[in-house]
Amino acid sequence: MEAERTLRQEDLTELAELAAQLRVDAIRCSTRAGSGHPTSSLSAADLLAVLISRHLRYTWSAPRDRANDHLIFSKGHASPLLYAVFKAVGAISDQELVDTYRQYGSRLQGHPTPVLPWVDVATGSLGQGLPVGVGIALAGRYLDRLPYHVWVLCGDSEMAEGSIWEALDKAGHYGLHNLTAIVDVNRFGQRGPTELEWDLDTYRRRVEAFGCRALVVDGHDLAAVDEALGRARQATGPTVVLARTVKGKGVPEVENKPGWHGKPLKPELADRAVAALGGVRRIRVTGPRPEPAPPAAAPAGPPPTLPRYDKGAKVPTRDAYGDALRAVGSRPDVIALDGEVSDSTRADRFGEAYPDRFFELFISEQQLVAAAVGLQVRGYRPFAATFAAFLSRAYDFVRMAAVSRADIALAGSHAGVEIGADGPSQMGLEDLAALRAVPGSTVVYPSDAVSCAALVAQLVDRPGVTYLRTTRGGYPVLYDNDDSFPIGGSKVLREGGDIALIGAGVTVHNCLAAADELAREGIDARVVDLYSVKPLDADGLAAAVRACGGRLLVVEDHYPEGGLGSAVLECLADLAEPVRVTHLAVRGLPTSGTPTQLMAQAGIGVGDIVAAARAAPAPSR
């Protein structure tokens, strides 16, 4: 079925047959699996039949073709429809669709993931597909400068998510004419009617208020859908196609009826529905193909020249982040994003040097992370920065980035009570725990400018979700510029055999000062900089245990749950040697004050470390 400029009656007949096949296959695979969301798939079948036949420019045999359009199912629960599309274009077989959907070991999982080469990102957590689409469209318009289009199928229930409106706002702001959201307005959510039901006029007014063009159509009128998608492709700004549909369309026994969300049709009902829809088909779709695109330019040139710092100079690690980010910007695939705090995170230094590769996402942390995920789909290496505390707003996007196997770098500044007078609303005190919990993540927390710059350079090519925690205040440079800081390593700043003082970031400096005081009392303290929080230096910790007779003192500017102390204890759990760990962390709710006052209030100041070291018991044997 080739794309035509205008629809003829025979084209409409073919489209109706394809839509029927998509419905039949969505029913068959979900009924065989005994789970799934067939009614959410049936409502959008006409929309997808038109899209894949006439508007989606895609070479299915070459899913990594740079010229391909992008198709994202933001309503990922409609996976039966997506997989039925993959069958229709010849990407998967009928046997794989029907016999393996939602089965253990199958790549046709309950919600789409990039284990399938035609899927860019994992979806299923609603409100995420469109924000990621914004990131891909940013790449298309401003970086790749290629004519591919980003098509995102949204459900009407997820239109209640704030992240959808963050996405539309940024799409309007950046004039993303290469982005189209198709909203399947079928009126029913999981437990009943959606907030607006079929109030298409309110949807339209909201979309237009965010700077996007709204096209209202009958989602089952194939000609009207075709016209809307054609207009969207030629638009001068982002388009939202608001399609009024019927949930369960094509199966009268479930059409427009509550109580059918996420429920497969029983075999008897499924057989009747398939027969009524005309039975199983073997239609093969050949949609439009993209024009060839030039190959992507490989990152070129010598390694970046990292900033250099004088030993002893007081330099905030957030400054080093900005300097190092600007340095690695010599690679054309490095992109920086920020959440309207770039003068604080110091990401503005990259923006000044490379304004064409810097994207301001304003106070929209969900969109900030989603845009990074979208940009990496196109092969870029994004760094997204905000205050450490505010990444919590986007945590579900971080979690789903890991499910998507996305390669993104996050930077959180203003961490811990060290930030001082701003008070607890601005203090990242949960971030290490949150980011450590993300599967496959890397978490680093440098103590000085030299180590920070070295770690930024390594994160450029580090796979998975990576997180760099930076400090607001200026602290002395501890290391020589040519020192190395391998991820998974640690540094011993003082040798000692009585007790090991273990810190990361700002607490390393407190540990050093405490070691000086302890030395005057005849206590020989070892000081360890655990700059790599995940993965942790297990060998280095074991060496500290052996050197100090099992006596360890961990100090962190973070709540006690899930942070540095937890990481150390987890690492030592299987060590077959006696060990006793004392753990100093922020155990109460902080207030405003100076950094010194607040660290003392939290029990992680120099005096607290000295007192805890004096009192630290030897491990029982």
Side-chain angles (χ1 to χ4, degrees):
M1 188 182 292
E2 298 288 345
E4 301 283 351
R5 288 187 175 275
T6 58
L7 279 171
R8 302 166 299 181
Q9 184 55 50
E10 52 264 44
D11 298 322
L12 289 171
T13 300
E14 290 182 359
L15 287 170
E17 280 292 298
L18 174 59
Q21 172 173 302
L22 298 179
R23 289 188 168 96
V24 165
D25 289 342
I27 292 169
R28 293 169 65 222
C29 69
S30 54
T31 294
R32 175 71 66 88
S35 67
H37 296 74
T39 58
S40 300
S41 300
L42 299 178
S43 58
D46 296 308
L47 301 170
L48 267 295
V50 176
L51 178 64
I52 65 172
S53 297
R54 296 180 52 81
H55 300 279
L56 182 73
R57 299 175 184 172
Y58 201 98
T59 303
W60 294 98
S61 60
R64 299 295 174 238
D65 188 331
R66 297 183 68 240
N68 282 341
D69 282 358
H70 291 264
L71 173 61
I72 300 174
F73 265 50
S74 195
K75 54 175 289 182
H77 55 282
S79 60
L81 175 60
L82 179 62
Y83 302 152
V85 163
F86 291 164
K87 172 201 161 179
V89 298
I92 65 173
S93 67
D94 184 76
Q95 182 275 330
E96 182 178 9
L97 172 67
V98 176
D99 292 344
T100 77
Y101 175 58
R102 282 184 168 236
Q103 302 302 311
Y104 177 75
S106 172
R107 58 180 183 165
L108 305 186
Q109 298 177 28
H111 294 76
T113 73
V115 69
L116 291 161
W118 315 279
V119 174
D120 290 321
V121 291
T123 54
S125 182
L126 292 177
Q128 298 213 14
L130 185 58
V132 171
V134 166
I136 299 174
L138 283 171
R141 177 168 184 184
Y142 293 100
L143 302 173
D144 295 330
R145 300 186 184 278
L146 292 173
Y148 61 78
H149 204 86
V150 183
W151 305 92
V152 184
L153 179 67
C154 298
D156 50 352
S157 286
E158 68 180 322
M159 298 301 283
E161 287 279 8
S163 57
I164 291 289
W165 302 99
E166 285 186 16
L168 292 178
D169 177 58
K170 301 310 172 291
H173 174 75
Y174 280 106
L176 300 180
H177 58 82
N178 54 346
L179 175 69
T180 298
I182 306 169
V183 185
D184 178 20
V185 187
N186 64 28
R187 192 174 78 87
F188 279 117
Q190 177 170 322
R191 51 104 221 127
T194 57
E195 180 183 5
L196 295 180
E197 301 193 39
W198 279 324
D199 185 356
L200 277 297
D201 188 58
T202 297
Y203 278 122
R204 177 189 59 77
R205 288 185 284 110
R206 290 183 180 183
V207 164
E208 291 173 349
F210 279 82
C212 301
R213 184 185 191 186
L215 301 176
V216 178
V217 299
D218 177 346
H220 303 305
D221 183 332
L222 298 169
V225 170
D226 182 67
E227 180 186 8
L229 298 185
R231 291 172 64 189
R233 182 112 210 182
Q234 303 304 318
T236 57
T239 300
V240 179
V241 177
L242 298 166
R244 187 186 191 277
T245 63
V246 175
K247 196 160 187 172
K249 179 69 174 178
V251 182
E253 293 175 76
V254 303
E255 272 188 12
N256 197 31
K257 293 181 180 178
W260 281 98
H261 182 89
K263 295 181 180 179
L265 278 59
K266 296 294 184 183
E268 299 79 7
L269 175 55
D271 289 343
R272 293 196 298 274
V274 169
L277 287 164
V280 176
R281 295 162 175 79
R282 296 288 188 271
I283 298 171
R284 177 72 177 272
V285 180
T286 303
R289 301 291 177 90
E291 294 295 324
T305 302
L306 294 178
R308 300 179 75 82
Y309 302 97
D310 294 331
K311 206 167 186 178
K314 291 188 175 182
V315 182
T317 53
R318 60 172 174 154
D319 287 4
Y321 169 73
D323 295 341
L325 188 62
R326 180 174 55 200
V328 299
S330 61
R331 276 182 46 161
D333 60 338
V334 173
I335 311 296
L337 309 96
D338 202 89
E340 204 188 295
V341 288
S342 60
D343 56 338
S344 290
T345 65
R346 304 301 195 240
D348 58 354
R349 299 180 183 183
F350 181 99
E352 291 163 2
Y354 305 103
D356 57 330
R357 286 187 273 132
F358 177 81
F359 295 101
E360 177 58 72
L361 276 303
F362 304 95
I363 305 297
S364 303
E365 289 84 4
Q366 295 180 101
Q367 183 57 66
L368 173 73
V369 175
V373 173
L375 286 161
Q376 65 86 41
V377 166
R378 294 295 306 180
Y380 294 98
R381 306 296 302 197
F383 283 74
T386 185
F387 285 15
F390 303 154
L391 280 170
S392 61
R393 295 177 177 175
Y395 189 67
D396 191 36
F397 283 76
V398 177
R399 180 184 71 86
M400 287 298 292
V403 179
S404 292
R405 304 179 185 182
D407 300 328
I408 62 172
L410 306 175
S413 70
H414 292 62
V417 301
E418 186 277 338
I419 72 169
D422 282 344
S425 70
Q426 310 298 296
M427 296 172 178
L429 288 164
E430 312 87 354
D431 54 314
L432 295 179
L435 271 297
R436 283 184 63 233
V438 173
S441 65
T442 296
V443 180
V444 293
Y445 184 16
S447 62
D448 82 335
V450 169
S451 57
C452 181
L455 290 167
V456 169
Q458 293 177 74
L459 296 186
V460 175
D461 292 312
R462 184 80 178 176
V465 175
T466 64
Y467 177 58
L468 174 81
R469 194 188 212 218
T470 64
T471 301
R472 181 183 194 177
Y475 293 87
V477 173
L478 301 173
Y479 298 107
D480 294 324
N481 286 293
D482 295 326
D483 284 350
S484 62
F485 300 86
I487 291 174
S490 64
K491 288 285 190 182
V492 178
L493 284 160
R494 299 278 178 85
E495 296 286 354
D498 292 332
I499 188 168
L501 308 182
I502 298 172
V506 65
T507 61
V508 170
H509 299 274
N510 291 353
C511 288
L512 286 168
D516 289 340
E517 288 197 28
L518 291 168
R520 288 191 285 272
E521 300 178 14
I523 299 174
D524 189 20
R526 183 184 186 97
V527 177
V528 180
D529 179 358
L530 276 186
Y531 62 82
S532 182
V533 180
K534 181 187 178 185
L536 211 61
D537 184 0
D539 291 339
L541 277 176
V545 169
R546 296 177 187 121
C548 298
R551 194 180 282 111
L552 306 184
L553 173 56
V554 180
V555 191
E556 62 179 315
D557 191 1
H558 186 276
Y559 286 138
E561 296 83 7
L564 186 68
S566 295
V568 169
L569 290 166
E570 291 164 16
C571 184
L572 296 176
D574 295 327
L575 187 66
E577 296 187 36
V579 61
R580 181 65 179 264
V581 178
T582 302
H583 183 201
L584 302 184
V586 181
R587 296 183 185 275
L589 183 66
T591 64
S592 291
T594 67
T596 300
Q597 289 171 332
L598 292 177
M599 285 191 278
Q601 178 195 50
I604 60 172
V606 175
D608 303 289
I609 298 171
V610 170
R614 290 192 196 113
S620 57
R621 295 182 180 272

